[in-house]
């Protein structure tokens, strides 16, 4: 008589528990935005000499830029589209600003000295336009958010004029505006 062998039944895999993202990305995004803003404001008002402008790069790149990237991803995982957009745009600003700062300091871009001011103005104007559009996009949000971004636009405009006119007083004015939007960032 032949024996029939059967393989033991294959166990069904245990159901995988679905992990639902949770939390509030602003708990990281806002303080990390504030620390970069304070560093920039201190630099603009002359706390460090212009020749030491690169001193803010570790904060604006490693803390603010990368911290805002993390906040962006977190907000996107929660389907908080507007929060992700705001944090993502600011991450782009801080990361590109830190690269511009380093590149100009080390002459990596080979921009002739006579063209540096216009190159910095190009950067500031580009970001002022994007942030102005973002300001309009936030009009339906709490007014403090719109005020922060509007103050960012004002700081960028003052910075642009200061760079083009080589005006340290306008740079300082931009620095004080930066302190104002950093303070509103703390409020949020």
């Amino acid at each position: 008589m032949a024996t029939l062998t059967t393989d033991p039944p294959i166990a069904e895999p245990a159901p995988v528990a679905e992990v639902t993202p949770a939390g509030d990305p602003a708990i990281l995004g806002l303080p990390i935005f504030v620390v970069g803003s304070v560093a920039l404001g201190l630099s603009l008002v002359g706390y460090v000499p212009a020749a030491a402008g690169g001193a803010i790069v570790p904060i604006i790149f490693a803390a603010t830029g990368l911290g805002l990237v993390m906040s962006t991803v977190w907000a996107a995982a929660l389907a908080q589209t507007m929060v992700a957009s705001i944090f993502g745009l600011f991450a782009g600003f801080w990361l590109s600003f830190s690269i511009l700062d380093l590149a100009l300091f080390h002459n990596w871009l080979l921009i002739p000295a006579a063209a540096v001011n216009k190159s910095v103005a190009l950067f500031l104007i580009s970001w002022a336009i994007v942030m102005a559009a973002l300001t309009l996009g936030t009009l339906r949000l709490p007014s403090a958010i719109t005020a922060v971004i509007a103050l960012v636009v004002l700081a960028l405009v003052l910075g642009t004029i200061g760079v083009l006119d080589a005006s340290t007083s306008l740079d300082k004015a931009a620095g004080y505006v930066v302190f104002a939007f950093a303070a509103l960032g703390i409020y949020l």
Side-chain angles (χ1 to χ4, degrees), residues 6-31:
T6 60
D7 292 330
I10 298 174
E12 294 272 331
V16 177
E18 189 173 313
V19 178
T20 304
D24 183 358
I27 200 74
L28 170 64
L30 289 173

Side-chain angles (χ1 to χ4, degrees), residues 21-86:
D24 183 358
I27 200 74
L28 170 64
L30 289 173
I32 212 74
F33 167 80
V34 169
V35 73
S37 300
V38 169
L40 176 60
L42 287 170
S43 176
L44 288 170
V45 299
Y47 180 76
V48 293
I56 65 172
V57 171
I59 292 172
I60 66 173
F61 179 80
T64 304
L66 296 179
L68 286 172
V69 167
M70 290 187 282
S71 297
T72 301
V73 171
W74 186 0
L78 294 171
Q80 295 179 1
T81 309
M82 193 63 177
V83 174
S85 297
I86 292 169

Side-chain angles (χ1 to χ4, degrees), residues 15 43 59 83 129 132 141 149 160 175:
S43 176
I59 292 172
V83 174
I129 292 168
L141 299 177
I149 300 169
T160 301

Side-chain angles (χ1 to χ4, degrees), residues 108-150:
W108 293 338
L109 302 174
L110 305 175
I111 298 171
V116 167
N117 284 0
K118 292 257 184 173
S119 300
V120 172
L122 175 146
F123 176 87
L124 296 171
I125 292 166
S126 299
W127 278 107
I129 292 168
V130 168
M131 293 299 176
L134 181 60
T135 302
L136 295 175
T138 64
L139 290 175
R140 293 184 180 204
L141 299 177
S143 59
I145 295 170
T146 304
V148 167
I149 300 169

